């Protein structure tokens, strides 16, 4: 009889290759001594831990799905490529109870193994309706899937031969924004995922819209890499552009109130919204169509206001009111609550409501006197101060025809401004950069104001300034100073941004009676300012 009753276990300990066994949940249940020889990790420290703890995070999904090649972390914290073809052991019900295999460093794997892995990967890519790519700065694309020829007309060899090929095919109007995102990815200090949309010129000269889903891979002592998936979204973009063109028909009618437009098919529950609707709710990157209309609306309405909002439009549907209008708090895309007014009217067929349409208005912090992002006063406080200034001015007029000219303190002016190109900042750099830009704008406006003046954030990138104790010439001069101050470049993190402003100026006049009159007049002047070279427009006294 042999001295050792378990010769197989003894032989496993003598093998130069690493033998690995895990349970069904990847917990290591056996390792032979070759594990420590190869990896530097003690066998005792690895037993009872998940094998996935030692695998590079990016390779966890591929190992779990059956791909045998992955990066393993050694005791010196370096990752090396390994191959581990695990064989499952199942119970009577075909449930995996354990896995066993031999771990081999890729340097020792034959060329046939590498070909096998590559072929499996390429077969997987053939099922994807898009172009999978990998790229490095100065090198260009290090990998492209064959779909690039079917979708864009160029062969893989054509595309990879020139490091600047991609940028040469991006539409000139989209190139600057695309390159800004591209360069930011190559200069990133950590791995992250992002996406961008742009137009690409195909080999035939056709212009197609592309949605690029990308990931920056940052690894120590190696240039940043980018991997991504390009998808042709031309049809989707054409539908979006058609809806935007439809929105333009309503632009003049809604500009005075700056409302968002919505159209709801009650039979299919499909809700169509305008860009301004999404902008009010901070959903600029969201599309114009919501397939589950009421669910979408519910997700934006504060839970405490949902019952009241639903009750308002259901009373209209029941015939109790000719239309509906309700104020409620909505969740903004930035995570804060904003007050909005939702109103509309339904169309009935045979006594059944089949469609509703209406508008959404931004009431800009109606529930608070101050804006949480910029710490500036909000719309309610500004309107209160404006109402007070109007009352003082009208009292001066009532005291005598020449009194306003003699009593300088009753004169005032209303400035309304918004930032030119603010949406492009959000689209290119993200809303967190846009929020920081708004904060810096707020500080510059405060620095331009006197103690007697009031600066307020009304909504989005729109600000108002109430100048008190000023004549018309002083108001124009102050507006020009503000315009100059806002044109100075902004430094936000790694970005240097420029953002001028369009400013409408309205000086006190007997022709304007209420705060709404002044705000509408200032809004009209602001839009006129967008067509002027210096970005400042003064409403004529005759208006």
């Amino acid at each position: 009889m042999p001295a050792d009753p378990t010769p197989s276990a003894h032989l496993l300990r003598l093998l130069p290759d690493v033998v690995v066994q895990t349970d069904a949940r990847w917990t290591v249940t056996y390792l032979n001594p070759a594990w420590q020889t190869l990896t530097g990790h003690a066998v005792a420290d690895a037993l009872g831990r998940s094998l996935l703890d030692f695998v590079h995070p990016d390779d966890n999904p591929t190992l779990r799905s059956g791909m045998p090649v992955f990066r393993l972390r050694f005791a010196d914290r370096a990752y090396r490529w390994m191959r581990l073809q695990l064989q499952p052991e199942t119970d009577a019900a075909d449930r995996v109870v354990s896995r066993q295999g031999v771990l081999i460093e890729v340097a020792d794997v034959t060329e046939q193994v590498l070909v096998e892995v590559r072929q499996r990967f390429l077969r997987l890519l053939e099922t994807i309706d898009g172009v999978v790519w990998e790229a490095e700065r100065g090198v260009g694309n290090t990998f492209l899937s064959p779909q690039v020829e079917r979708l864009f007309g160029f062969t893989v060899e054509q595309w990879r031969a020139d490091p600047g090929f991609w940028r040469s095919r991006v539409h000139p109007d989209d190139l600057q924004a695309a390159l800004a995102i591209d360069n930011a990815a190559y200069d990133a200090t950590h791995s992250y995922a992002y996406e961008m949309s742009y137009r690409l010129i195909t080999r035939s000269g056709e212009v197609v819209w592309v949605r690029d889903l990308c990931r920056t891979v940052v690894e120590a002592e190696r240039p940043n890499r980018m991997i991504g998936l390009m998808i042709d979204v031309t049809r989707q973009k054409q539908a979006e552009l058609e809806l935007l063109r439809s929105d333009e028909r309503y632009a003049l009618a809604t500009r005075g109130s700056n409302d968002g437009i919505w159209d709801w098919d009650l039979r299919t529950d499909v809700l169509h919204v305008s860009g301004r609707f999404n902008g009010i709710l901070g959903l600029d990157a969201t599309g114009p169509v919501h397939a589950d209309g009421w669910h979408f609306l519910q997700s934006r309405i504060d839970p405490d206001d949902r019952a009241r909002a639903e009750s308002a439009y259901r009373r209209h549907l029941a015939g109790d009111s000719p239309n509906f209008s309700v104020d409620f708090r909505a969740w903004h895309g930035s995570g804060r609550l904003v007050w909005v007014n939702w109103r509309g009217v339904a169309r009935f067929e045979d006594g059944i409501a089949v469609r509703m349409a209406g508008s959404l208005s931004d009431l800009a912090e109606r529930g608070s006197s101050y804006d949480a992002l910029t710490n500036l006063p909000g719309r309610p406080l500004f309107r209160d101060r404006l109402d007070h200034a109007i009352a003082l001015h009208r009292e001066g007029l009532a005291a005598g025809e020449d009194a306003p000219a003699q009593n300088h303190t009753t004169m005032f002016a209303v400035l309304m401004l918004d930032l030119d190109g603010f949406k492009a900042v959000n689209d290119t750099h993200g809303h967190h950069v846009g929020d920081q830009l708004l904060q810096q704008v707020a500080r510059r406006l405060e620095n331009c104001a006197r103690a007697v003046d009031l600066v307020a954030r009304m909504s989005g990138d729109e600000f108002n300034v109430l100048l008190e104790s000023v004549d018309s010439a002083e108001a124009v001069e102050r507006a020009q100073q503000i315009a100059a101050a806002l044109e100075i470049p902004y430094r936000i993190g790694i970005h240097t941004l420029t953002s001028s402003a369009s400013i409408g100026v309205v000086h006190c006049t007997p022709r304007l009676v209420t705060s709404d009159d002044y705000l509408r007049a200032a809004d009209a002047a602001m839009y006129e300012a967008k067509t002027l070279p210096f970005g400042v427009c003064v409403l004529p006294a005759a208006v």
Side-chain angles (χ1 to χ4, degrees):
M1 293 289 291
D4 187 349
T6 56
S8 59
H10 178 69
L11 289 174
L12 288 176
R13 287 194 295 270
L14 295 177
L15 280 176
D17 296 323
V18 179
V19 178
V20 179
Q21 178 175 284
T22 73
D23 64 13
R25 298 179 179 273
W26 296 94
T27 300
V28 177
T29 56
Y30 176 82
L31 291 168
N32 66 346
W35 164 265
Q36 182 166 347
T37 303
L38 177 65
T39 69
H41 295 295
V43 171
D45 292 338
L47 291 174
R49 293 178 59 182
S50 172
L51 178 62
L52 301 178
D53 290 346
F54 299 90
V55 176
H56 193 287
D58 291 347
D59 298 340
N60 263 261
T62 56
L63 177 61
R64 295 177 66 183
S65 64
M67 188 71 76
V69 177
F70 57 94
R71 286 163 291 181
L72 188 76
R73 177 171 51 82
F74 279 48
D76 61 3
R77 307 192 68 81
Y79 284 94
R80 301 184 193 174
W81 284 98
M82 311 297 294
R83 173 181 169 83
L84 178 61
Q85 187 72 59
L86 290 170
Q87 299 297 324
E89 180 180 354
T90 58
D91 60 14
D94 282 337
R95 293 173 298 194
V96 174
V97 295
S98 67
R99 300 181 179 88
Q100 304 86 30
V102 176
L103 185 71
I104 305 172
E105 193 166 0
V106 165
D108 299 326
V109 179
T110 64
E111 184 68 22
Q112 180 59 41
V113 172
L114 297 178
V115 171
E116 173 191 333
V117 174
R118 179 176 174 81
Q119 287 176 337
R120 183 182 300 180
F121 177 62
L122 292 176
R123 284 196 298 270
L124 174 64
L125 292 185
E126 291 173 358
T127 67
I128 300 174
D129 189 22
V131 178
V132 179
W133 56 270
E134 181 183 60
E136 291 185 11
R137 175 180 279 167
V139 177
N141 286 102
T142 55
F143 176 81
L144 274 172
S145 60
Q147 286 90 328
V148 70
E149 185 166 6
R150 176 174 61 83
L151 292 177
F152 306 122
F154 301 104
T155 66
V156 172
E157 291 73 22
Q158 285 176 306
W159 198 292
R160 292 186 60 192
D162 177 9
F165 189 85
W166 169 77
R167 68 181 61 193
S168 72
R169 307 312 302 178
V170 176
H171 193 284
D173 292 345
D174 300 335
L175 183 59
Q176 184 176 358
L179 287 180
I181 298 174
D182 199 48
N183 290 331
Y186 280 125
D187 294 332
T189 58
H190 63 280
S191 298
Y192 68 97
Y194 63 96
E195 67 176 77
M196 58 179 172
S197 296
Y198 53 87
R199 286 164 291 182
L200 198 71
I201 303 172
T202 67
R203 185 176 183 180
S204 65
E206 180 185 3
V207 176
V208 299
W209 275 97
V210 170
R211 185 184 181 201
D212 222 338
L213 308 172
C214 315
R215 181 173 183 82
T216 298
V217 181
V218 178
E219 296 176 337
E221 299 181 359
R222 178 173 180 174
N224 287 0
R225 288 179 295 133
M226 287 198 292
I227 56 176
L229 172 65
M230 287 192 293
I231 305 171
D232 183 348
V233 293
T234 304
R235 289 186 179 180
Q236 176 185 336
K237 274 292 183 180
Q238 288 174 340
E240 292 176 4
L241 291 173
E242 180 59 34
L243 183 60
L244 289 175
R245 283 191 288 269
S246 177
D247 284 347
E248 291 174 0
R249 294 196 299 267
Y250 303 98
L252 290 177
T254 60
R255 178 171 293 176
S257 59
N258 209 17
D259 288 349
I261 302 299
W262 57 271
D263 180 5
W264 191 1
D265 189 329
L266 299 177
R267 294 165 296 190
T268 62
D269 201 24
V270 174
L271 177 69
H272 292 261
V273 300
S274 68
R276 174 59 183 155
F277 184 104
N278 282 336
I280 290 172
L281 297 178
L283 305 175
D284 293 324
T286 304
V289 180
H290 301 279
D292 191 349
W294 178 237
H295 177 74
F296 164 74
L297 291 169
Q298 277 186 316
S299 70
R300 308 316 307 175
I301 302 173
D302 184 71
D304 292 339
D305 294 344
R306 284 177 189 166
R308 180 164 52 81
E310 184 175 3
S311 175
Y313 88 80
R314 291 203 181 279
R315 283 197 304 270
H316 170 56
L317 296 183
D320 295 337
S321 60
N323 50 45
F324 75 90
S325 177
V326 59
D327 296 344
F328 58 80
R329 290 163 295 182
W331 284 105
H332 191 270
S334 64
R336 59 187 176 86
L337 285 171
V338 295
W339 276 95
V340 298
N341 173 261
W342 182 42
R343 57 191 177 276
V345 63
R347 180 167 64 85
F348 294 83
E349 293 181 1
D350 300 325
I352 300 174
V354 297
R355 181 178 178 182
M356 282 201 299
S359 61
L360 186 78
S361 300
D362 182 0
L363 299 182
E365 304 297 332
R366 178 171 173 171
S368 171
S369 295
Y370 283 84
D371 171 54
L373 177 65
T374 62
N375 290 323
L376 290 177
R379 183 183 294 266
L381 183 54
F382 185 86
R383 293 176 70 96
D384 288 345
R385 283 279 299 272
L386 178 55
D387 287 339
H388 181 66
I390 294 171
L392 287 179
H393 178 63
R394 295 186 68 81
E395 287 173 7
L397 290 176
E401 184 176 350
D402 295 331
Q406 296 170 355
N407 188 358
H408 187 75
T409 60
T410 66
M411 302 178 71
F412 68 92
V414 175
L415 276 59
M416 180 176 289
L417 65 93
D418 69 5
L419 303 181
D420 301 324
F422 179 70
K423 184 178 184 300
V425 173
N426 277 338
D427 291 346
T428 302
H429 304 290
H431 288 275
H432 64 290
V433 173
D435 286 348
Q436 292 180 65
L437 175 59
L438 292 175
Q439 290 170 338
Q440 292 195 25
V441 167
R443 301 293 79 78
R444 293 189 187 185
L445 289 173
E446 286 180 323
N447 291 335
C448 292
R450 303 163 301 170
V452 70
D453 300 331
L454 178 67
V455 179
R457 182 188 180 205
M458 304 300 276
S459 64
D461 62 324
E462 181 181 292
F463 297 81
N464 273 17
V465 182
L466 177 62
L467 303 176
E468 297 197 55
S469 301
V470 294
D471 60 26
S472 179
E474 290 171 334
V476 173
E477 182 180 356
R478 185 60 54 84
Q480 291 170 341
Q481 291 172 353
I482 290 174
L486 297 183
E487 285 184 346
I488 299 172
Y490 300 83
R491 184 66 181 175
I492 300 175
I494 63 172
H495 308 293
T496 299
L497 307 176
T498 56
S499 182
S500 59
S502 299
I503 305 177
V505 183
V506 179
H507 196 257
C508 54
T509 171
R511 298 181 181 277
L512 302 177
V513 178
T514 67
S515 58
D516 284 335
D517 292 339
Y518 277 92
L519 291 174
R520 279 193 292 267
D523 185 65
M526 178 185 71
Y527 277 95
E528 181 65 23
K530 294 181 180 296
T531 66
L532 301 178
F534 300 105
V536 176
C537 175
V538 183
L539 188 74
V543 174

